Amino acid sequence: MAYAYLFKYIIIGDTGVGKSCLLLQFTDKRFQPVHDLTIGVEFGARMITIDGKQIKLQIWDTAGQESFRSITRSYYRGAAGALLVYDITRRDTFNHLTTWLEDARQHSNSNMVIMLIANKSDLESRREVKKEEGEAFAREHGLIFMETSAKTASNVEEAFINTAKEIYEKIQEGVFDINNEANGIKIGPQNPMPGPTGPHNAGQAGGSCC
Amino acid sequence: MNFLRGVMGGQQSSGVQPSGAETIQKLCDRVASSTLLDDRRDAVRALKSLSKKYRLEVGTQAMDHLLNVLQTDRADSEIIGYALDTLYNILSNDAEEAVGHSRTWSLLPRDTAESEEENPQAQTDDLGVQFTEMFIKQQENVTILLSILEEFDFHVRWPGVKLLTCLLKQQGPQVQQIILVSPMGVSRLMDLLDDSREVIRNDGLLLLQQLTKSNAAIQKIVAFENAFERLLDIITEEGNSDGGIVVEDCLLLLQNLLKYNNSNQNFFKEGSYIQRMKPWFEVGDDNSGWSAQKVTNLHLMLQLVRVLVSPGNPPGATSSCQKFMYQCGLLQQLCIILMATGVPADILTETINTVSEVIRGSQVNQDYFASVNAPSNPPRPAIVVLLMSMVNERQPFVLRCAVLYCFQCFLYKNQKGQGEIVATLLPSTIDATSLSAGQLLCGGLFSTDSLSNWCAAVALAHALLENSTQKEQLLRVQLATSIGNPPVSLLQQCTNILAQGSKVQTRVGLLMLLCTWLTNCPIAVTHFLHNASNVPFLTAQISENLGEEEQLVQGLCALLLGICIYYNDNSLESNTKEKLKQLIEKRIGKEIFTEKLGFITKHEFYSKAAQKPQPSFSSPDHMMFDHEFTKLVKELEAVIIKAIYKSSEEDKKEEEVKKSLEQHDNIISHYKNVIREQDLQLEELKQTVSTLQAKNEQFQTTVSQQVAQIQQHKDQYNLLKVQLGKDNQHHNSHNSNAQINGFQSEEVSRLKEEIEELKKQHDLLQGELSEKNTLIENLSCNQAAGQTEQTTGVSEQVTELQKEMETLRSQLHVQSTEINRLQAERMELLQKVEASATVTASGDSASAASKNNDYEEKIAGLLRELSSLKDEVNLLSVEKSTLKRELDSAHSTTAILQDEKLKLGQEVSESKKEQDDLLILLADQDQKILSLKNKLKELGEQVDDEDDLESGDAGDEDDLDEEDSRDDDM
Ligand SMILES: Nc1nc2c(ncn2[C@@H]2O[C@H](COP(=O)(O)OP(=O)(O)O)[C@@H](O)[C@H]2O)c(=O)[nH]1
Ligand SMILES: [Mg+2]
C-alpha cells in the first residue's frame, strides 16, 4: 500500500469516446462492451512503478456531456495529469478537442500534463481520423500523443504510465510544487522530501540545485 | 409579501411598528444615498442592531441595500462584516433559537421534520425560507458571497460562513447548484478546513455538511479536494472519540460524503483510509470516560464503518472493504469492544450491528468471528455469549435484535458456519459439558417468551438457508421432553407447539422455520407428512374463518401446505401431490387457499422486512417477518399457486416432461460428474506434479548438499591420508591420527632409542660386573661371597627389565601390524569415497536420489569404520600410555641399578687398592722374610719358608681392611 508518490488524473473528452472503458481496462484489465453512461464523475485507482518507485494513480473519469461540464471543471485544478480522449471513428470528437483543451488550460494549473489519446484503434476499417492528424494536433499544442484501444488493451498501460513518467520528470526537474497537494501530487507516507523543489521555490523551474 | 405582512401584523404590537419601520427606512436611505463610507457603515451597524428585534422590517426594507453594500463596499471589511451579520440575522431562524437553546447532541438528524400545524416555529422557518429565496433570486449574490469568503479578515469570513450555511439550510438544492457551477466554488469552501482559527474551521465543517447533503456531485468534488485526509487528520488531532463536537461534525461530514456514494467509498478504500479508522475503536477498558459526547462520536464512527460494508452496497465494494477491515485489524478491535465490560448498551448494540455487517458473507471474517472468545472463565465462544443475550428476556429489545442480526450475518453464505451450528444439536457431536449454540437455540425455541421463540426460530432457519445437507441433518435431532416419555424429534416438537395454539409471534416464528426447512427438501416434507395430524391441522387452520389477528398464521399455514405439495416426491402413499391437491379443493377451495396465501405479502410488516436484512422493529409486537423469509415467500408464492391450479393431466404431462428433463439432467449431471471427477483428478495430478516437483527440488538440494558433504569427507580423508603418509615415513610401526587423539610417533621412537641406550648401558654394566666378579672372586673368599650376593640382586632386576623390554617389544610389534591393517583399511575407504564422488559427479540428476541413498549408506559404513578405527586408535593410545608407564619404571630401576653399580665400582676400586696395599705389604714381608731367612742362613739355621708366611698373612689383612673403612668414614 505504501507509495512514493500519488498522482491524480482526470479523463476528459466527448461522451462515447471510451473514457470509462479506458479506465476499466487500466484498473481491472477488462473490457465492457456495454457500459453505463457515466453520471458526473467516477473514481478508479491503480499502483504503477516508475524508476523503481511505487506510484499510486487516482483517476477520475468524467462525463462528457455538456450538462456535466461545470462539474468536470471542478476537477481540473487538483489534477496532475489529464487524458484527453477522442474516437478515431468519429471526426466530431476530434473536432471538439480545441474546446476541451481550452477548458482544461483555463481551469487547470499550468503544469498539468495532458496526454492526447486517439481511442478505438482496433476499428481501423471505420477510421475517420488519421493518426498523422492526431500527431499534428498534439505537436501543435504541446501534448503527448498515443493511439489506444480500450477493447484490445493496446497502448492503454502505456498511455497512463507515460503520463505518469512525464509528471515524474517534471517533479525531478522541480517544475511541480509537490508540497501543494492542490496540484494533484502527493508524496507518499514516510517518504523523505525528494527532488530539488524546496518549500520556498514553489512553482519555479528549479534546474540543478547543487 | 402579503404573507410577510400577515406574519408581521400578527406578531408585532401596533405601537412599536411604525417607529421601528421609520427608523429602519431612515437607515436604509442613509445606506443608499450617503457618499461617506463612515456614514454608510454606521447605518449598517445600526441596522444590524435592529435586525434581531425587527427581523421582518429590516428584512423587507434593507435587504436590497445590504446586498448592494456587499457588491460596492468590498474594500471595507468592517461594513461588509456588519452587512453579513445583518443578513444572517434576517435569514437565519437559528439566530432566534440560539438565544435560548444550546445545541443538543441527539443522534437524530438535526433537521427532524415536524408537522407545520403543531409547530409555532414553522412560521418563522417560513420567514427564513422566504428571505433566502429573495437572496438567491439573483445568483450572483451567492457568487459574491463565495468571493467574500476568500477575505481573510475574521469579521468578514466568519459571518460569511454562517450566512452561506444558513442559505444552504433553507434552500439547499438551489444554492448547491449555484455553487457547483461557479468556478472553484466547492474547492474554495474546502479551504475553510485549513483556517487556523478554530471557530471558522468548525463552522466551515457545518457549512460543508450542508453543502454535501444529498448531492453526489458535490460530495465527489469535496472528496477530490482531499476531504478524507483533512477530516481524518482533524479527528486524530482532536483525540478520536474523546474529542469534542468537532469530531462529531467531522464524522457527520464523512457520513455525508460516503453514504450511498460508491465512487467516494471506492476512493476512501483505495486511499487506504479504512486503516485509519482502527484507532477510533481502541477505547480502553477503563470505563472512566463514557461522556455523552464520546458515546455520540463512537456511535457515528460505528455507523461510518457500516456505511462502507452496508448490505445495500455493490457486492464487490462491500467485500473488498470487509477484507481491508480484517487485514488492518479493525474487525478484531470491534470484537474487543463486543466482549468488553462496561460498554454503554447503545454502543454495544451498534457495535454488534457493525460487526454483523463487517462479517456478513465474508468467509474469512466469519471464520474469525467464530474463533472469538469472551474473556470469561472458562472462555466461551462469542457466538454463545451473544445467543445467551438473544434468548434472555431481560436484555433490551434492540440488543436482542442486534444479536439476531449478528447471528444471521454470521451464517449468511456460510455453509461451514451453518454446519457447525447444526452439529451442536446432533447426537453424535453434542457436547454435554458446555453450553452450545444449539442448546441455546432449542431453549429459546421452546421457552415461554414468545420473542425468544421467534428469534430462535429465525436463527435456526438461517442455519438451514440454501443448505439441503443441514436441512436433512436437522431431521436427526431428537429432544428429551419429560422423564419417562420417549424423545421426540425437533420437527415433531415444532408442530406440537404450533398445534398448542401459543402466541401469534411464536407460531409465526415456528411456521417460518418449518417453511424454510421443508423448502427444497423432499425428505423433510416426507417427515412432516408422516405425522398424520399435521395435514389436518393445516387445513383446519386455513379453512377456518378467523379474525384479523390470525390471518398471518393462516397465510403461513397455506404456504407450508403449498410447500408440502410443491416439494413432494410422492413417497408417501397417503399424502401424494395429487391427494393433497384434492384435499385443498374439497376442504378449502382453490380460491380461498390462494387468498389466504396472499395474506402474507399483503401484511403491513411484510414490505418493511423485505427492505433490508437487518431486523428492525418499532416495537417487539411488530417482530413478525424475517428478511430472508420474505425473499423465500416471493419465490414460492407464484409457483405454489401454479402447482395448485394445475389439472392432474397437466401434472402428469409435466411429470413426464420432468422425467425426460430429469433424464437429460441425469445425463448432463453424469457428464458433469465425469468432468468434475476429471477436474478433481486433474487437480490431484497437478498437485502431485507440484509436490513431485517440490520433492525433486528438495532431492536436488539434498544431492548437492551431500555432494558437498562427500567432498568434505574426501578432503578430510585426503588430509588423513597425508598425515598417515607422514607417519609412515617417520616409523612404520605406529598409526597416528592427529585429529583423533594426538598420538605422537616421535615419542615412541624416542622411547625406543632410550630403551636401546638403556640396553647398551645395561650390557656394559653387565660386562663390567662380570669382569669385576671374576676379579673379586680371585680375591679373598669373604669378599667374594658378599659381592656375589649383591650382584645377584642387580642381575635379577636386570633380567626382569629385560623381560619387560621383551613384552614392550612384542606389544610394539602388535601395534605396528595393527597400524598396517588400519592403513590398508583407510586406503580402501579412500578409494571408496573417491569412487562414490566420481559417481555422484557424473551421475544424472534423475537417478541421483537413489544413488544418494547408496552414498548415504556407504558414508554411514565409512563412518562406522572410521569410528572403529578411532576406537582402535584409542586402544593403542591406552597401550602406549601403559608402555610409557612401564618405561618410566624401567628408567627408575635403571637409575637404582646405576647407583648400585657406582657403589660396586667404588667397592671394587677400594678392594683393588687394598689388594695393592696387601701386595705391597706382602712384598715388604717377603722382603723381611727373605732378609730374615738370609740372616738365619748366615747364622746357620734351617728355615721353613712357606708355613710362616701363610698364617701371618690372614690376620694382618683383616686389620688393614678395618683401618681403611675407618679412613673412608672420616
Ligand atoms: N471497438 C471499441 N469500442 C470501444 C473502445 N472503447 C470504448 N468502446 C465502446 O464505446 C462505447 C462508449 O464507451 P464508454 O467507455 O462508455 O465511453 P465514455 O462515454 O467516454 O465513457 C462503449 O460501447 C464501448 O464498448 C475501443 O477501444 N474499441
Ligand atoms: Mg463514461
Side-chain angles (χ1 to χ4, degrees):
Chain A
M1 272 302 177
Y3 52 83
Y5 290 104
L6 185 154
F7 297 161
K8 288 184 179 179
Y9 282 8
I10 52 168
I11 314 181
I12 51 173
D14 279 6
T15 185
V17 297
K19 298 184 293 297
S20 303
C21 288
L22 282 166
L23 178 58
L24 194 69
Q25 182 61 256
F26 181 62
T27 57
D28 288 27
K29 294 192 163 48
R30 61 193 171 96
F31 177 71
Q32 230 175 26
V34 190
H35 195 270
D36 296 344
L37 202 65
T38 308
I39 305 296
V41 174
E42 288 303 327
F43 170 80
R46 211 190 104 177
M47 198 79 96
I48 59 165
T49 311
I50 289 177
D51 202 10
K53 290 192 170 63
Q54 293 281 91
I55 293 182
K56 183 150 201 158
L57 298 184
Q58 292 186 334
I59 305 145
W60 278 264
D61 165 33
T62 66
Q65 296 104 303
E66 188 56 43
S67 53
F68 289 111
R69 206 57 71 86
S70 62
I71 293 176
T72 304
R73 285 190 192 113
S74 303
Y75 290 85
Y76 285 121
R77 187 182 75 157
L83 306 188
L84 171 53
V85 189
Y86 69 92
D87 177 353
I88 62 156
T89 69
R90 279 165 58 204
R91 178 156 291 276
D92 58 325
T93 65
F94 179 73
N95 294 339
H96 293 153
L97 288 179
T98 328
T99 326
W100 279 111
L101 202 57
E102 274 169 13
D103 218 29
R105 288 262 151 90
Q106 190 187 337
H107 296 99
S108 67
N109 75 72
S110 56
N111 293 312
M112 184 169 83
V113 172
I114 304 175
M115 159 81 78
L116 180 63
I117 289 180
N119 191 37
K120 309 199 186 179
S121 62
D122 57 296
L123 300 175
E124 194 54 51
S125 57
R126 284 162 52 193
R127 185 190 275 275
E128 285 182 11
V129 185
K130 274 186 254 160
K131 189 179 180 183
E132 291 73 29
E133 293 176 82
E135 281 170 342
F137 185 93
R139 215 176 309 118
E140 193 181 323
H141 295 91
L143 317 173
I144 335 169
F145 176 77
M146 204 157 248
E147 279 205 340
T148 63
S149 166
K151 188 175 179 178
T152 68
S154 154
N155 268 344
V156 174
E157 291 265 315
E158 288 82 351
F160 284 90
I161 289 171
N162 288 353
T163 309
K165 277 185 185 156
E166 186 89 358
I167 297 167
Y168 185 76
E169 275 165 28
K170 281 195 173 188
I171 293 172
Q172 302 302 309
E173 289 162 14
V175 177
F176 263 116
D177 175 14
I178 44 173
N179 299 297
N180 185 357
E181 273 186 40
N183 284 335
I185 295 170
K186 196 177 142 187
I187 307 169
Q190 82 270 12
N191 203 41
M193 290 291 293
T197 310
H200 298 299
N201 59 345
Q204 257 112 56
S208 64
C209 71
C210 359
Chain B
M1 279 310 123
N2 275 342
F3 170 76
L4 292 176
R5 297 240 160 73
V7 171
M8 181 179 70
Q11 275 189 334
Q12 241 71 41
S13 69
S14 54
V16 181
Q17 189 201 341
S19 78
E22 274 166 30
T23 319
I24 289 161
Q25 195 51 55
K26 262 188 218 160
L27 290 170
C28 286
D29 291 343
R30 260 172 74 190
V31 172
S33 55
S34 177
T35 52
L36 287 171
L37 177 62
D38 286 346
D39 235 20
R40 292 202 299 278
R41 192 194 295 127
D42 287 343
V44 174
R45 184 165 46 198
L47 281 171
K48 180 194 159 186
S49 62
L50 292 168
S51 60
K52 271 187 187 161
K53 197 173 173 193
Y54 299 103
R55 181 183 176 191
L56 181 63
E57 294 83 343
V58 175
T60 44
Q61 291 168 263
M63 173 87 86
D64 288 341
H65 301 294
L66 292 168
L67 291 172
N68 240 359
V69 167
L70 293 187
Q71 260 182 319
T72 53
D73 285 327
R74 276 293 295 277
D76 185 62
S77 56
E78 221 178 320
I79 192 172
I80 296 287
Y82 294 139
L84 291 171
D85 276 333
T86 316
L87 282 166
Y88 176 73
N89 288 340
I90 300 164
L91 266 61
S92 169
N93 301 315
D94 297 345
E96 288 182 352
E97 294 165 50
V99 181
H101 306 282
S102 58
R103 283 177 73 176
T104 52
W105 319 130
S106 86
L107 287 173
L108 292 168
R110 283 178 190 170
D111 51 347
T112 315
E114 287 167 81
S115 76
E116 277 186 32
E117 291 107 328
E118 284 165 5
N119 189 1
Q121 186 77 41
Q123 290 184 331
T124 46
D125 278 357
D126 281 342
L127 199 61
V129 172
Q130 294 266 330
F131 283 132
T132 305
E133 265 174 18
M134 282 167 65
F135 185 97
I136 62 173
K137 205 175 278 165
Q138 294 280 298
Q139 283 204 7
E140 55 173 356
N141 289 335
V142 179
T143 323
I144 288 165
L145 185 53
L146 284 174
S147 65
I148 282 173
L149 283 177
E150 278 180 68
E151 197 73 56
F152 185 72
D153 193 317
F154 183 82
H155 298 287
V156 176
R157 194 178 264 195
W158 194 38
V161 169
K162 289 200 292 181
L163 181 58
L164 188 56
T165 309
C166 176
L167 291 173
L168 281 161
K169 261 189 200 165
Q170 319 268 21
Q171 293 289 335
Q174 284 104 307
V175 182
Q176 283 172 334
Q177 217 47 47
I178 297 167
I179 294 173
L180 200 52
V181 296
S182 57
M184 307 305 297
V186 176
S187 68
R188 254 184 242 163
L189 297 179
M190 280 300 292
D191 293 342
L192 293 173
L193 289 184
D194 294 334
D195 201 302
S196 54
R197 294 155 298 190
E198 263 192 30
V199 192
I200 291 181
R201 185 196 69 181
N202 296 354
D203 280 345
L205 279 169
L206 297 178
L207 190 158
L208 290 168
Q209 273 177 29
Q210 295 301 326
L211 180 70
T212 52
K213 221 172 224 170
S214 344
N215 188 316
I218 292 181
Q219 286 160 10
K220 287 180 196 172
I221 296 171
V222 169
F224 178 79
E225 296 280 349
N226 297 323
F228 293 140
E229 186 98 42
R230 297 196 209 181
L231 293 172
L232 291 170
D233 284 346
I234 296 174
I235 292 172
T236 310
E237 282 162 25
E238 299 285 328
N240 296 329
S241 64
D242 289 321
I245 183 86
V246 185
V247 170
E248 180 186 346
D249 286 332
C250 287
L251 292 166
L252 285 169
L253 180 52
L254 280 171
Q255 210 169 80
N256 275 0
L257 297 176
L258 290 168
K259 206 164 189 176
Y260 309 126
N261 192 325
N262 297 324
S263 179
N264 272 1
Q265 284 172 15
N266 188 17
F267 179 33
F268 191 85
K269 183 191 74 200
E270 288 294 339
S272 312
Y273 297 123
I274 287 178
Q275 56 220 53
R276 294 198 55 184
M277 298 169 101
K278 189 199 163 205
W280 293 357
F281 304 105
E282 286 164 1
V283 282
D285 215 2
D286 54 2
N287 306 329
S288 55
W290 285 103
S291 65
Q293 184 64 57
K294 182 166 180 165
V295 170
T296 306
N297 288 346
L298 214 53
H299 214 108
L300 288 168
M301 287 166 169
L302 289 165
Q303 281 175 355
L304 212 51
V305 174
R306 291 184 69 183
V307 163
L308 295 170
V309 291
S310 161
N313 290 346
T318 290
S319 65
S320 60
C321 284
Q322 286 172 328
K323 207 174 91 193
F324 278 117
M325 285 175 186
Y326 175 72
Q327 282 171 353
C328 76
L330 186 114
L331 172 61
Q332 293 83 329
Q333 203 59 52
L334 290 174
C335 286
I336 291 172
I337 298 180
L338 203 68
M339 292 292 114
T341 49
V343 180
D346 56 341
I347 290 296
L348 185 60
T349 306
E350 191 61 12
T351 306
I352 297 172
N353 286 327
T354 309
V355 167
S356 308
E357 289 177 354
V358 175
I359 64 171
R360 187 174 189 270
S362 159
Q363 191 69 58
V364 175
N365 295 9
Q366 286 164 334
D367 287 349
Y368 169 73
F369 180 69
S371 77
V372 174
N373 276 319
S376 60
N377 198 12
R380 277 209 175 103
I383 292 174
V384 169
V385 174
L386 288 172
L387 285 179
M388 282 162 75
S389 300
M390 188 181 80
V391 296
N392 182 347
E393 281 181 72
R394 279 164 303 177
Q395 292 290 352
F397 177 61
V398 281
L399 182 78
R400 298 174 73 183
C401 290
V403 172
L404 176 61
Y405 186 39
C406 193
F407 194 69
Q408 293 175 339
C409 290
F410 167 62
L411 295 177
Y412 184 71
K413 295 198 170 158
N414 181 5
Q415 299 221 330
K416 190 174 152 205
Q418 288 176 320
E420 283 163 4
I421 295 297
V422 172
T424 61
L425 284 165
L426 297 179
S428 50
T429 43
I430 209 154
D431 178 12
T433 55
S434 63
L435 203 54
S436 72
Q439 280 171 279
L440 284 165
L441 289 178
C442 278
L445 207 52
F446 306 120
S447 88
T448 52
D449 169 36
S450 63
L451 212 66
S452 293
N453 303 154
W454 191 93
C455 287
V458 168
L460 208 49
H462 277 254
L464 304 177
L465 274 173
E466 286 168 22
N467 191 333
S468 12
T469 314
Q470 298 314 324
K471 285 175 185 174
E472 288 175 24
Q473 286 290 311
L474 203 64
L475 291 172
R476 292 170 49 205
V477 175
Q478 297 285 323
L479 302 169
T481 45
S482 49
I483 303 158
N485 291 336
V488 62
S489 78
L490 178 63
L491 186 73
Q492 184 60 49
Q493 187 65 11
C494 287
T495 56
N496 288 349
I497 304 273
L498 207 54
Q500 280 165 16
S502 37
K503 278 193 188 163
V504 174
Q505 197 166 41
T506 304
R507 282 181 289 149
V508 168
L510 288 171
L511 281 165
M512 286 197 294
L513 171 59
L514 289 172
C515 288
T516 309
W517 198 345
L518 267 53
T519 295
N520 218 351
C521 186
I523 303 169
V525 171
T526 308
H527 272 248
F528 180 76
L529 295 176
H530 195 72
N531 184 342
S533 56
N534 281 341
V535 173
F537 168 73
L538 289 181
T539 45
Q541 285 283 308
I542 301 163
S543 55
E544 249 176 287
N545 221 340
L546 298 164
E548 218 173 296
E549 272 268 279
E550 290 293 317
Q551 283 190 346
L552 182 53
V553 174
Q554 287 192 307
L556 292 170
C557 285
L559 184 69
L560 188 55
L561 189 55
I563 290 168
C564 288
I565 293 168
Y566 190 74
Y567 291 104
N568 195 323
D569 62 357
N570 295 327
S571 57
L572 277 181
E573 201 52 49
S574 52
N575 281 314
T576 59
K577 249 181 216 222
E578 200 44 47
K579 285 193 173 144
L580 289 174
K581 271 161 73 174
Q582 283 166 7
L583 194 72
I584 288 177
E585 202 159 354
K586 270 193 278 178
R587 294 277 172 82
I588 309 165
K590 284 178 184 174
E591 260 92 274
I592 307 251
F593 179 86
T594 314
E595 190 199 329
K596 302 264 157 134
L597 188 60
F599 283 163
I600 303 173
T601 49
K602 286 194 193 76
H603 198 275
E604 53 174 326
F605 301 144
Y606 178 86
S607 52
K608 175 121 203 298
Q611 280 167 11
K612 59 186 175 85
Q614 186 185 355
S616 61
F617 310 97
S618 43
S619 96
D621 305 334
H622 293 180
M623 199 178 212
M624 286 295 166
F625 282 109
D626 166 52
H627 175 76
E628 288 297 326
F629 182 72
T630 62
K631 288 205 253 175
L632 193 75
V633 173
K634 222 180 279 172
E635 277 171 37
L636 289 177
E637 197 182 16
V639 292
I640 286 173
I641 291 172
K642 227 166 119 190
I644 301 295
Y645 275 93
K646 242 177 266 166
S647 69
S648 52
E649 268 163 43
E650 276 177 309
D651 244 6
K652 260 184 207 144
K653 260 190 213 160
E654 197 170 84
E655 209 67 36
E656 275 163 27
V657 173
K658 229 185 188 172
K659 258 186 201 149
S660 72
L661 272 176
E662 243 164 52
Q663 272 174 348
H664 277 288
D665 273 358
N666 280 344
I667 294 168
I668 288 170
S669 63
H670 170 72
Y671 279 116
K672 269 189 189 163
N673 274 338
V674 170
I675 290 168
R676 200 169 300 141
E677 268 165 37
Q678 286 179 338
D679 244 19
L680 279 176
Q681 278 178 346
L682 200 72
E683 201 50 48
E684 256 170 54
L685 286 173
K686 268 189 201 165
Q687 271 177 356
T688 323
V689 166
S690 63
T691 38
L692 282 175
Q693 269 173 339
K695 266 190 197 164
N696 188 28
E697 264 169 45
Q698 235 175 357
F699 279 136
Q700 259 164 357
T701 40
T702 324
V703 165
S704 56
Q705 270 171 7
Q706 284 177 342
V707 166
Q709 265 178 2
I710 287 165
Q711 189 56 46
Q712 231 174 0
H713 285 304
K714 218 172 116 181
D715 290 346
Q716 283 177 356
Y717 283 123
N718 280 335
L719 209 76
L720 289 174
K721 207 168 116 185
V722 170
Q723 280 178 337
L724 271 175
K726 264 192 215 157
D727 288 348
N728 289 343
Q729 276 172 358
H730 285 311
H731 52 94
N732 228 352
S733 60
H734 230 290
N735 175 16
S736 150
N737 191 336
Q739 265 188 316
I740 297 162
N741 56 9
F743 204 100
Q744 281 157 355
S745 52
E746 291 95 319
E747 220 172 341
V748 174
S749 59
R750 198 170 53 76
L751 286 172
K752 242 177 100 181
E753 275 163 26
E754 278 178 343
I755 289 167
E756 214 64 48
E757 188 85 350
L758 282 173
K759 256 202 291 190
K760 260 186 226 154
Q761 284 181 349
H762 193 247
D763 285 350
L764 214 78
L765 280 174
Q766 262 188 324
E768 273 180 89
L769 272 175
S770 56
E771 246 173 61
K772 274 165 204 166
N773 274 348
T774 36
L775 214 127
I776 289 163
E777 262 169 77
N778 284 345
L779 295 175
S780 73
C781 301
N782 298 354
Q783 259 184 314
Q787 276 179 344
T788 315
E789 259 170 47
Q790 275 189 315
T791 318
T792 320
V794 172
S795 69
E796 262 170 23
Q797 280 181 319
V798 170
T799 354
E800 248 172 64
L801 253 181
Q802 266 177 326
K803 264 190 213 153
E804 276 176 338
M805 293 287 183
E806 232 17 78
T807 10
L808 273 175
R809 225 174 283 155
S810 62
Q811 274 177 345
L812 277 174
H813 181 71
V814 170
Q815 282 178 339
S816 83
T817 37
E818 188 80 40
I819 284 161
N820 282 340
R821 195 180 61 75
L822 287 175
Q823 257 183 305
E825 272 180 355
R826 196 155 292 191
M827 279 312 286
E828 221 174 79
L829 289 177
L830 273 173
Q831 273 164 0
K832 277 190 210 170
V833 168
E834 254 159 352
S836 66
T838 18
V839 170
T840 310
S842 62
D844 97 87
S845 67
S847 61
S850 67
K851 277 185 190 164
N852 252 325
N853 283 340
D854 288 354
Y855 295 155
E856 272 177 317
E857 270 166 39
K858 276 185 202 164
I859 286 164
L862 289 175
L863 285 173
R864 251 178 278 128
E865 283 177 279
L866 191 68
S867 71
S868 71
L869 280 177
K870 275 187 207 174
D871 289 344
E872 281 170 336
V873 169
N874 278 338
L875 218 73
L876 285 176
S877 82
V878 171
E879 282 178 335
K880 186 202 81 176
S881 55
T882 331
L883 273 177
K884 221 172 134 184
R885 250 181 279 125
E886 284 173 336
L887 259 177
D888 282 344
S889 67
H891 269 292
S892 49
T893 322
T894 311
I896 296 167
L897 282 175
Q898 267 177 325
D899 255 8
E900 281 174 332
K901 191 188 78 180
L902 215 70
K903 269 190 205 161
L904 283 173
Q906 275 170 355
E907 280 176 55
V908 166
S909 58
E910 270 165 33
S911 328
K912 254 187 186 168
K913 240 191 242 165
E914 280 172 47
Q915 270 179 316
D916 285 346
D917 288 343
L918 282 173
L919 281 174
I920 293 165
L921 222 95
L922 277 175
D924 277 352
Q925 283 176 335
D926 272 351
Q927 206 75 49
K928 277 180 194 170
I929 292 167
L930 209 66
S931 60
L932 284 175
K933 268 184 185 172
N934 285 342
K935 275 178 186 171
L936 283 174
K937 267 180 193 166
E938 276 172 25
L939 292 172
E941 258 200 322
Q942 263 307 134
V943 182
D944 193 341
D945 301 342
E946 305 301 328
D947 288 342
D948 284 305
L949 239 173
E950 283 274 293
S951 57
D953 258 353
D956 284 339
E957 216 166 282
D958 265 344
D959 290 346
L960 272 172
D961 207 338
E962 274 168 41
E963 273 177 27
D964 265 5
S965 50
R966 247 178 255 126
D967 283 346
D968 277 349
D969 287 342
M970 295 213 291

